[in-house]
Amino acid sequence: MSSPNNGPSSLHIALMLASGLVLLFLATGDAGAANPKIPRLANGKPDFSGIWQTTSAADYDLEPHSNRKDAPPGAGIVEGHYLPYLPAALEQKKKNFAARDTLDPALKGYTLGVPRGIYYPEPFQIFQRKQDLTLVHQFGHSVRTIHTDETDHPKDPYDWWLGDSRAHWEGDTLVVDVKHFNDKTWFDRAGNYHSDALHVVEKWAFIDANTVEYKATVEDPKVFSKPWNLSVILHRHREKDFQLIEDYRFTLDYDDAYPPKPNKP
């Protein structure tokens, strides 16, 4: 129906707009729909079970750096490139860097912590159930549980090496809130560090069936002036019979005795 001046009526305009929206929807696809190509649990949630590893060199240094004797060059994985240290904390970071050959907690076999364990250049395996995910890291065989049973952090907790992880789902993205850390781990081999006020929010999302984008927002008011973000890509190991190998770091102090040697008391 035309208006008295032969222009489009309000009804026609509404129909044209609706048609345009339908065409746009068909052209772009439904961004909010679940990706049917990724593995899922029986309850429909994405299933991250498998062995994963990054090809990133982030563990050498989260920030951009040139080649040096103990690290290949890297572009860094931090949004904005550099960590927003408070002045006194930056001085401590410089001291850590100068003594990194001996002070890096990983050299002592200590648990890597969060998020370092995710981008450390050794594989880790995820076992997933409806109520939780269990992460087993090859490095030191550290075991971390991410709870997805809608429970909250304990109210009067200890501080832990790997913190306390509680997660929820935002569509197909697993969002993990991690806090209650001790201050004994570093973020990398370059001396970037944190205090016991560390708080990490992780986001895990499939890109395709064998690739995961891992993002983390890190805040620590004792060390940094504001929260900062990092991201890495994780790849699923698909080699036949691939598995984690034994790497019990707590035996470092007992190298002479472990594994037991024949003909030696």
Side-chain angles (χ1 to χ4, degrees):
M1 179 181 296
S2 301
S3 64
N5 59 3
N6 293 324
S9 67
S10 297
L11 178 59
H12 274 110
I13 293 175
L15 290 173
M16 291 168 64
L17 288 174
S19 298
L21 290 173
V22 170
L23 290 173
L24 179 62
F25 175 85
L26 293 174
T28 59
D30 183 3
N35 185 340
K37 297 182 179 179
I38 63 176
R40 295 183 182 278
L41 298 177
N43 64 1
K45 300 300 183 185
D47 183 0
F48 293 92
S49 298
I51 301 179
W52 301 90
Q53 187 169 358
T54 183
T55 56
S56 165
D59 185 69
Y60 288 104
D61 195 334
L62 293 179
E63 299 178 321
H65 58 281
S66 58
N67 187 28
R68 52 180 187 249
K69 63 180 181 180
D70 61 344
I77 62 167
V78 176
E79 183 179 300
H81 304 304
Y82 297 99
L83 305 187
Y85 277 104
L86 294 168
L90 180 58
E91 293 305 310
Q92 181 60 52
K93 189 269 177 178
K94 292 178 179 177
K95 293 178 182 177
N96 291 347
F97 180 82
R100 63 190 183 283
D101 289 346
T102 56
L103 293 186
D104 180 358
L107 296 176
K108 304 173 185 177
Y110 293 174
T111 295
L112 296 167
V114 178
R116 187 178 182 181
I118 304 304
Y119 51 77
Y120 190 83
E122 286 189 8
F124 63 95
Q125 187 162 5
I126 297 177
F127 301 89
Q128 184 172 348
R129 304 182 296 180
K130 177 183 177 182
Q131 65 270 30
D132 57 32
L133 293 83
T134 300
L135 279 61
V136 179
H137 296 268
Q138 179 169 289
F139 184 99
H141 284 199
S142 299
V143 178
R144 172 190 175 197
T145 300
I146 298 175
H147 301 277
T148 54
D149 56 357
E150 301 182 351
T151 55
D152 201 355
H153 296 288
K155 296 184 181 303
D156 188 20
Y158 294 103
D159 287 342
W160 293 294
W161 289 86
L162 294 166
D164 181 71
S165 299
R166 307 284 161 169
H168 66 276
W169 295 95
E170 294 181 358
D172 279 348
T173 300
L174 180 68
V175 181
V176 190
D177 190 275
V178 197
K179 60 182 182 179
H180 303 319
F181 291 96
N182 65 28
D183 60 356
K184 301 182 185 302
T185 64
W186 284 4
F187 293 121
D188 57 24
R189 307 183 196 189
N192 289 305
Y193 77 107
H194 63 85
S195 76
D196 60 0
L198 175 64
H199 178 210
V200 181
V201 177
E202 303 172 299
K203 292 186 176 181
W204 299 69
F206 276 98
I207 296 175
D208 57 44
N210 297 305
T211 315
V212 165
E213 181 179 44
Y214 173 87
K215 296 182 176 180
T217 299
V218 177
E219 63 177 339
D220 185 340
K222 294 182 180 179
V223 177
F224 303 110
S225 61
K226 61 182 180 180
W228 49 274
N229 302 309
L230 63 80
S231 64
V232 294
I233 300 297
L234 302 173
H235 303 278
R236 182 194 299 276
H237 276 283
R238 288 174 285 169
E239 305 94 316
K240 184 180 179 182
D241 299 329
F242 187 87
Q243 60 183 332
L244 304 186
I245 61 173
E246 186 177 274
D247 190 8
Y248 288 108
R249 297 297 172 119
F250 63 79
T251 62
L252 287 177
D253 292 337
Y254 305 96
D255 279 349
D256 289 340
Y258 185 87
K261 310 290 191 304
N263 305 319
K264 187 174 181 179

